[in-house]
Structures are given as C-alpha cells and as structure tokens.
C-alpha cells in the first residue's frame, strides 16, 4: 500500500508556474510558441502554464515512455505517439512534468533537432538535479527543484494513478 504526503501545495504550484510564465513571456516577446506537451505527465502543467502565456501559442503532443510501471528508470525510450505537425522553422518549447535522469529528454532533443526547429527550449514543472545522468541536458525553465523522492500529482503518476491530484505529493510505501 502507499500513502501520499503533500510536498508542494496547489497554491505554491500556481505561484511557481506564474513566475516561470513571466520569464517565458519576456523571452518570447514578439514570437509565437509551439508547445510540445509530453504525454501524459505534461498535460496538467502545459494547460496551467499556457493560461498565463501572452504570446500566441500552438500545441502538439507527443507520447514517449521511459519507465515501466515501477519507480526506477529503465533507460529505454520509446515513441508511443509522434507529433501531428512538422516543427521546421518553429520556436519549440518542450513541456515536461519532471526531469529525473534526463535520459528521456536527451533522446527527445536529439530526435527533434533533426527536424530543424528554429529554436528548441525545455520547460519542466519539477526537476530532480541530484538524479541527473545526462549532464549535458540543459533545462531552460524549471518551476520547482525537488529532492530525490518519488512524487505524484499534477500529471505525475505511480502506476497510472494519482495524476489528478491538484498538488504534488510524495509516495510513502507502507509495508
Ligand atoms: P528521466 O528520463 O529519468 O528524466 O525520466 C523522466 C520521466 O520519468 C518523467 O517524464 C516521468 O514520467 C518519470 N518520472 C521520473 N521521476 C518521477 C517521479 O518522481 N514520479 C513520477 N514519474 C517520474
Ligand atoms: Mg513522463
């Protein structure tokens, strides 16, 4: 069984997301943003973030899997659903739920760079810097840095559960 302890409240998440949106608005002034939401975890965050972006935004979705059903990275990355549209010449912002080892993102960046976007940046809700394996992955925007805990909520799952929690919680395993 598992229990969920609140780590980041709904209010704090909102504040941090607004803070990052301000920075993005500043950086992208006069340009359009093509947001690539990484399914499924990035859905809640990309919707919340986009509400506060004041330059034109378009969306596309991509689904990749790097984890099995447990809490440990397998290092394997597989495309489950590719983008609907080409990204050539566009200012792409990848929106992720969490960057852990960085393996998923490293693979994704390599793949998308070959499609010739005008620019490509990374925005994540959560970052676990202590877990990074791919040291050269540069995170452009990050809302909250967290320690090495397995977290759920606001899009993040444990075994596909808890994505709908409005806060970020730590999973505590009992027996
Ligand atoms: P990475 O390739 O190790 O950076 O893993 C990134 C992906 O692993 C994320 O997009 C999540 O789907 C998943 N992940 C990593 N840490 C957690 C966590 O604490 N809770 C839930 N999912 C996680
Ligand atoms: Mg994910």
């Amino acid at each position: 069984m598992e229990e969920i302890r609140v780590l980041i409240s709904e209010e704090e998440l909102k504040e941090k997301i607004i803070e990052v949106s301000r920075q993005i608005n500043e950086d992208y002034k006069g340009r359009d943003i093509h947001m690539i939401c990484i399914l499924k975890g990035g859905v809640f965050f990309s919707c919340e973030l986009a509400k506060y972006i004041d330059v034109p935004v378009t969306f596309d979705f991509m689904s990749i899997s790097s984890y099995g059903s447990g809490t440990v990275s397998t290092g394997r990355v597989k495309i489950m659903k590719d983008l609907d549209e080409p990204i050539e010449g566009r200012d792409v912002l990848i929106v992720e739920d969490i960057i852990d080892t960085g393996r998923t993102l490293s693979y994704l960046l390599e793949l998308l760079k070959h499609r010739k976007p005008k620019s490509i940046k990374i925005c994540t809700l959560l970052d676990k810097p202590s877990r990074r394996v791919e040291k050269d992955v540069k995170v452009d925007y990050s809302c909250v840095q967290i320690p090495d805990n397995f977290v759920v909520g606001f899009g993040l799952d444990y075994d596909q559960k808890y994505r709908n929690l409005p806060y970020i919680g730590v999973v505590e395993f009992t027996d």
Side-chain angles (χ1 to χ4, degrees), residues 56-137:
V57 175
T58 49
F59 287 97
D60 207 342
F61 299 87
M62 194 168 193
S63 178
I64 49 184
S65 84
S66 58
Y67 272 56
S69 57
T71 62
V72 182
S73 172
T74 59
R76 278 178 290 131
V77 178
K78 194 173 151 203
I79 296 186
M80 314 298 282
K81 182 215 168 292
D82 205 340
L83 298 172
D84 291 337
E85 293 170 50
I87 55 169
E88 187 170 349
R90 304 176 101 159
D91 288 307
V92 167
L93 184 64
I94 298 176
V95 181
E96 257 283 24
D97 50 358
I98 187 164
I99 310 205
D100 186 29
T101 62
R103 284 196 182 107
T104 311
L105 212 56
S106 169
Y107 173 87
L108 194 63
L109 275 174
E110 205 45 51
L111 182 95
L112 294 182
K113 274 178 186 165
H114 282 106
R115 299 184 187 180
K116 301 187 174 64
K118 187 169 157 204
S119 70
I120 189 159
K121 283 191 175 187
I122 297 156
C123 180
T124 187
L125 179 66
L126 304 175
D127 187 7
K128 283 185 194 170
S130 68
R131 295 259 308 157
R132 198 77 86 249
V133 172
E134 299 287 338
K135 306 282 183 201
D136 53 343
V137 167

Side-chain angles (χ1 to χ4, degrees), residues 15 20 25 31 34 37 41 44 47 55 64 70 89 106-107 115 130 152 169 173:
E15 270 171 38
V20 162
N25 287 333
R31 291 190 286 160
H34 189 53
C37 168
F44 287 70
C47 291
V55 301
I64 49 184
S106 169
Y107 173 87
R115 299 184 187 180
S130 68
V152 292
F173 298 92

Side-chain angles (χ1 to χ4, degrees), residues 3-36:
E3 278 171 16
I4 312 299
R5 172 172 56 85
V6 178
L7 182 70
I8 311 163
S9 70
E10 193 173 358
E11 293 71 32
E12 195 184 338
L13 278 177
K14 190 175 171 185
E15 270 171 38
K16 299 286 186 188
I17 293 171
I18 291 176
E19 226 174 276
V20 162
S21 75
R22 288 206 185 102
Q23 207 183 322
I24 293 174
N25 287 333
E26 191 63 34
D27 294 351
Y28 284 86
K29 214 170 262 172
R31 291 190 286 160
D32 295 5
I33 297 177
H34 189 53
M35 266 197 199
I36 294 182

